[in-house]
Coordinates of all heavy atoms in Angstrom, one line a residue:
W47 N -101.1 12.5 9.6 CA -101.2 11.3 8.9 C -102.2 10.3 9.6 O -102.0 9.1 9.7 CB -99.8 10.6 8.9 CG -98.8 11.5 8.3 CD1 -97.8 12.1 9.0 CD2 -98.7 11.8 6.9 NE1 -97.0 12.8 8.1 CE2 -97.5 12.7 6.8 CE3 -99.4 11.5 5.8 CZ2 -97.1 13.2 5.6 CZ3 -99.0 12.1 4.6 CH2 -97.8 12.9 4.5
S48 N -103.3 10.8 10.0 CA -104.3 10.0 10.8 C -105.7 9.9 10.3 O -106.5 9.1 10.9 CB -104.3 10.5 12.3 OG -104.8 11.8 12.4
H49 N -106.1 10.6 9.3 CA -107.5 10.8 9.0 C -108.1 9.5 8.5 O -109.2 9.1 8.9 CB -107.7 12.0 8.1 CG -107.1 13.2 8.7 ND1 -107.6 13.9 9.7 CD2 -106.0 13.9 8.3 CE1 -106.8 14.9 10.0 NE2 -105.8 14.9 9.2
C50 N -107.5 8.9 7.5 CA -108.1 7.6 7.0 C -107.9 6.5 8.0 O -108.8 5.6 8.1 CB -107.4 7.3 5.6 SG -107.9 8.4 4.3
L51 N -106.8 6.6 8.7 CA -106.6 5.5 9.7 C -107.6 5.6 10.8 O -108.1 4.6 11.3 CB -105.2 5.7 10.3 CG -104.0 5.6 9.4 CD1 -102.7 5.9 10.1 CD2 -104.0 4.3 8.7
D52 N -108.1 6.8 11.1 CA -109.2 7.0 12.1 C -110.5 6.3 11.5 O -111.3 5.8 12.3 CB -109.4 8.4 12.4 CG -108.3 9.0 13.2 OD1 -107.6 8.3 13.9 OD2 -108.1 10.3 13.1
G53 N -110.6 6.4 10.2 CA -111.8 5.8 9.6 C -111.8 4.3 9.9 O -112.9 3.7 10.0
R54 N -110.7 3.7 9.9 CA -110.6 2.3 10.3 C -110.9 2.1 11.8 O -111.7 1.3 12.2 CB -109.2 1.7 10.0 CG -109.0 1.2 8.6 CD -107.7 0.6 8.5 NE -107.6 -0.2 7.4 CZ -106.5 -0.8 7.0 NH1 -105.4 -0.7 7.6 NH2 -106.5 -1.6 5.9
R55 N -110.2 2.9 12.6 CA -110.2 2.7 14.0 C -111.6 2.9 14.6 O -112.1 2.0 15.4 CB -109.3 3.7 14.7 CG -109.2 3.6 16.2 CD -108.1 4.5 16.7 NE -108.3 5.9 16.5 CZ -109.1 6.7 17.2 NH1 -109.7 6.2 18.2 NH2 -109.2 7.9 16.9
Y56 N -112.3 3.9 14.3 CA -113.7 4.1 14.8 C -114.7 3.1 14.4 O -115.4 2.6 15.1 CB -114.3 5.5 14.5 CG -113.9 6.6 15.5 CD1 -113.2 7.7 15.1 CD2 -114.3 6.5 16.8 CE1 -112.8 8.6 16.0 CE2 -113.9 7.4 17.7 CZ -113.2 8.5 17.3 OH -112.8 9.5 18.2
A57 N -114.6 2.7 13.1 CA -115.5 1.7 12.6 C -115.3 0.4 13.2 O -116.2 -0.3 13.7 CB -115.4 1.7 11.0
V58 N -114.0 -0.1 13.2 CA -113.7 -1.4 13.8 C -114.0 -1.5 15.3 O -114.6 -2.4 15.7 CB -112.3 -1.8 13.4 CG1 -111.9 -3.1 14.1 CG2 -112.1 -2.0 11.9
A59 N -113.6 -0.4 16.0 CA -113.8 -0.4 17.5 C -115.3 -0.5 17.8 O -115.7 -1.2 18.6 CB -113.1 0.8 18.1
S60 N -116.0 0.3 17.0 CA -117.5 0.4 17.3 C -118.1 -0.9 16.9 O -119.0 -1.5 17.6 CB -118.1 1.5 16.5 OG -117.6 2.8 16.9
Y61 N -117.8 -1.5 15.8 CA -118.3 -2.8 15.3 C -118.0 -3.9 16.3 O -118.9 -4.6 16.7 CB -117.7 -3.1 13.9 CG -117.9 -4.5 13.5 CD1 -119.1 -5.0 13.1 CD2 -116.8 -5.4 13.5 CE1 -119.3 -6.3 12.7 CE2 -117.0 -6.7 13.1 CZ -118.2 -7.2 12.7 OH -118.4 -8.5 12.4
R62 N -116.7 -3.9 16.8 CA -116.3 -5.0 17.7 C -117.1 -4.9 19.0 O -117.3 -5.9 19.7 CB -114.8 -4.9 17.9 CG -114.0 -5.2 16.7 CD -114.0 -6.7 16.4 NE -113.3 -7.3 17.5 CZ -113.0 -8.6 17.5 NH1 -113.4 -9.4 16.5 NH2 -112.5 -9.1 18.6
M63 N -117.4 -3.7 19.4 CA -118.1 -3.5 20.7 C -119.6 -3.8 20.5 O -120.3 -4.2 21.5 CB -118.0 -2.0 21.2 CG -116.6 -1.7 21.7 SD -116.2 -2.7 23.2 CE -117.3 -2.0 24.4
L64 N -120.2 -3.5 19.4 CA -121.6 -3.6 19.2 C -122.2 -4.8 18.5 O -123.4 -5.1 18.6 CB -122.1 -2.3 18.4 CG -121.7 -1.0 19.0 CD1 -122.0 0.2 18.1 CD2 -122.4 -0.8 20.4
Q65 N -121.4 -5.6 17.8 CA -121.9 -6.7 17.1 C -120.9 -7.9 17.1 O -119.8 -7.7 17.4 CB -122.1 -6.3 15.6 CG -123.1 -5.2 15.4 CD -123.3 -4.9 14.0 OE1 -122.8 -5.6 13.1 NE2 -123.9 -3.8 13.7
K66 N -121.5 -9.1 16.9 CA -120.6 -10.2 16.7 C -119.9 -10.1 15.4 O -120.4 -9.5 14.5 CB -121.5 -11.5 16.8 CG -122.1 -11.7 18.1 CD -122.8 -13.1 18.1 CE -123.6 -13.2 19.3 NZ -123.2 -14.1 20.2
Q67 N -118.7 -10.8 15.3 CA -118.0 -10.7 14.1 C -118.6 -11.5 12.9 O -118.9 -12.7 13.1 CB -116.6 -11.3 14.3 CG -115.6 -11.1 13.1 CD -114.2 -11.6 13.5 OE1 -113.9 -11.7 14.6 NE2 -113.5 -11.8 12.4
R68 N -118.9 -10.8 11.8 CA -119.4 -11.4 10.6 C -119.1 -10.4 9.5 O -118.8 -9.3 9.7 CB -120.9 -11.6 10.7 CG -121.7 -10.4 11.0 CD -123.2 -10.7 11.1 NE -124.0 -9.6 11.5 CZ -124.3 -8.6 10.8 NH1 -124.0 -8.6 9.5 NH2 -125.0 -7.6 11.2
P69 N -119.1 -10.8 8.2 CA -118.9 -9.9 7.2 C -119.8 -8.7 7.2 O -121.0 -8.9 7.3 CB -119.1 -10.7 5.9 CG -118.9 -12.1 6.3 CD -119.4 -12.2 7.7
I70 N -119.3 -7.5 7.2 CA -120.1 -6.3 7.2 C -119.4 -5.2 6.6 O -118.2 -5.1 6.6 CB -120.5 -6.0 8.7 CG1 -121.5 -4.8 8.8 CG2 -119.2 -5.7 9.5 CD1 -122.0 -4.6 10.2
E71 N -120.1 -4.3 5.9 CA -119.5 -3.1 5.4 C -119.8 -1.9 6.3 O -120.8 -1.8 6.9 CB -120.2 -2.7 4.0 CG -119.9 -3.8 3.0 CD -120.5 -3.4 1.6 OE1 -121.3 -2.4 1.6 OE2 -120.2 -4.1 0.6
M72 N -118.7 -1.1 6.5 CA -118.8 0.0 7.5 C -118.1 1.2 6.8 O -117.1 1.1 6.2 CB -118.1 -0.3 8.8 CG -118.6 -1.6 9.5 SD -117.5 -2.0 10.8 CE -116.1 -2.7 10.0
Y73 N -118.7 2.4 7.1 CA -118.1 3.6 6.6 C -117.8 4.4 7.9 O -118.4 4.2 8.9 CB -119.0 4.4 5.8 CG -119.3 3.8 4.4 CD1 -120.4 2.9 4.3 CD2 -118.5 4.0 3.3 CE1 -120.6 2.3 3.0 CE2 -118.7 3.5 2.1 CZ -119.8 2.6 2.0 OH -120.1 2.1 0.8
H74 N -116.9 5.4 7.7 CA -116.6 6.2 8.8 C -116.0 7.6 8.3 O -115.2 7.6 7.4 CB -115.5 5.6 9.8 CG -115.0 6.6 10.8 ND1 -115.7 7.0 11.8 CD2 -113.9 7.3 10.8 CE1 -115.1 7.9 12.5 NE2 -113.9 8.1 11.9
F75 N -116.4 8.7 9.0 CA -115.8 10.0 8.7 C -114.7 10.1 9.8 O -115.0 10.0 11.0 CB -116.8 11.1 8.9 CG -117.8 11.2 7.7 CD1 -119.1 10.8 7.9 CD2 -117.3 11.6 6.5 CE1 -119.9 10.9 6.8 CE2 -118.2 11.7 5.5 CZ -119.5 11.3 5.6
S76 N -113.5 10.4 9.4 CA -112.4 10.5 10.3 C -112.4 11.8 11.1 O -112.6 12.8 10.6 CB -111.1 10.3 9.6 OG -110.8 11.5 8.9
P77 N -112.1 11.7 12.4 CA -112.0 12.8 13.3 C -110.5 13.2 13.3 O -109.6 12.4 12.9 CB -112.4 12.3 14.6 CG -112.0 10.9 14.6 CD -112.2 10.4 13.2
P78 N -110.2 14.4 13.8 CA -108.8 14.7 13.9 C -108.1 14.2 15.2 O -107.9 15.0 16.1 CB -108.9 16.3 13.9 CG -110.2 16.6 14.5 CD -111.1 15.5 14.0
V79 N -107.9 12.9 15.2 CA -107.3 12.3 16.4 C -106.3 11.3 16.0 O -106.1 11.1 14.8 CB -108.3 11.7 17.4 CG1 -109.2 12.8 18.0 CG2 -109.1 10.6 16.7
R80 N -105.7 10.6 16.9 CA -104.7 9.6 16.6 C -105.2 8.4 15.9 O -106.3 8.0 16.0 CB -104.0 9.2 17.9 CG -103.3 10.3 18.6 CD -102.9 9.9 19.9 NE -104.0 10.1 20.8 CZ -104.0 10.2 22.1 NH1 -102.8 10.1 22.7 NH2 -105.0 10.5 22.8
A81 N -104.2 7.6 15.3 CA -104.5 6.3 14.7 C -103.6 5.3 15.4 O -103.5 5.3 16.6 CB -104.3 6.4 13.2

């Protein structure tokens, strides 16, 4: 039960580390790991 949740996690974690918060569209392919 983690694949789409990983899509959120990687995108948001990467975005938060790499950019200032502003409206942005992000996509992510989910890996087989935890959410």
